[in-house]
Amino acid sequence: MKPLHLNTPLLRAAPGQFSHPEVWLKMDALQPSGSFKLRGVGRLVRKAAQDGAKEIVCASGGNAGFAAAYAGQALGLTVTIVLPETSSAAVQSLIEARGATVLRHGAVWDASNEFAQALAAERGATYVHPFDHPLLWEGHASLIDEVLDQGLDFDAVVTAVGGGGLFAGIVQGLRRHGLNDIPVIAVETEGAASLHESLKAGQAVTLPAITSIATSLGARRVADEALRLAQLHPTHSLLVSDAQACGAAARLAEQMRVMVEPACGAALAAVDVHPELFARFKRPLVEVCGGVAVSLEKLQAWTISA
Ligand SMILES: *Cc1c(COP(=O)(O)O)cnc(C)c1O
């Protein structure tokens, strides 16, 4: 079975786009699901279909749910996505347009997720976690395979971190090619800093609440595997503000004519917000993770506030 995700373009940033002279961008915003999530979710859902699954259930107010709906439809499965009551109507209609049934349950994701797990168990459906599963990490790791195939000699990888699934996939991708010394710059927004706080404490920390606008980074606790890999592999944990993340998303739209969420803006912003760190690298690679919760109207508001 062929993967569901695309091999996305690898572009060199235009002169002056960043303060650093040679930044490379892996354009996962161009995946048919609008984010990198299809890499891992597609891997997990394809395996489930091969094993005979007829139905999948996923709890996500955003890109994981949309990727699950996309993957399920492509493979002819019945898809149920559980959204928190606070999720936007726009995301719900995107998911429904892919043929999935949307249920609303719980004020926050944790409650939707418990409900989704129980529902999957009751129906004998495959449960799709948004960030904590080995097949997700294996799927996300494909982005590193592609960049190596594309021939880039990069010396650091910059990624946004929510629950840490993307981070874990990137670290696994590097390590399976023996690139154990290439550091990963793990970027979170202030108010969604679950990995940052866990690294400081030396153990997994559950944040009391998420206060960042970058909702796709809003996991109160990272996957244990993400923390383990951050302690094993050379990792720099950085924070940027919501305003910096939004400003970077608005700038990308103007410079490259591509819209991304503040979650993705966080990774882009880090290069300019932390120049002293990036001065150490010749050719940093930024994972442009994308996201569908963005619109012209939102970008305009972010340009003004940035
Ligand atoms: C899911 C997501 C993230 C965070 O990924 P994790 O695997 O949860 O760390 C970042 N950006 C976007 C656009 C996402 O959809």
Side-chain angles (χ1 to χ4, degrees), residues 283-296:
R283 243 171 253 115
L285 167 72
V286 181
E287 160 64 1
V288 183
C289 50
V292 295
V294 57
S295 63
L296 280 175

Side-chain angles (χ1 to χ4, degrees), residues 35-37 63 130-131 160-166 216-217 261 263-264 289-291:
S35 79
F36 75 95
K37 288 262 178 8
N63 296 303
F131 57 81
V161 175
L166 177 57
S216 292
L217 304 185
E261 290 180 19
C264 177
C289 50

Side-chain angles (χ1 to χ4, degrees), residues 250 253 259 293-303:
M259 299 200 289
V294 57
S295 63
L296 280 175
E297 205 180 349
K298 284 184 185 172
L299 277 169
Q300 221 150 18
W302 299 337
T303 317

Side-chain angles (χ1 to χ4, degrees), residues 5-65:
H5 65 264
L6 303 181
N7 184 336
T8 50
L10 174 66
L11 303 177
R12 182 173 175 172
Q17 191 174 342
F18 293 93
S19 55
H20 189 287
E22 190 174 349
V23 176
W24 288 80
L25 303 166
K26 180 63 173 162
M27 297 299 289
D28 268 345
L30 303 179
Q31 290 292 351
S33 62
S35 79
F36 75 95
K37 288 262 178 8
L38 189 57
R39 294 182 180 275
V41 170
R43 176 77 192 89
L44 196 160
V45 173
R46 269 194 306 135
K47 173 75 167 59
Q50 276 164 351
D51 295 346
K54 298 279 177 274
E55 181 173 1
I56 59 171
V57 176
C58 174
S60 161
N63 296 303

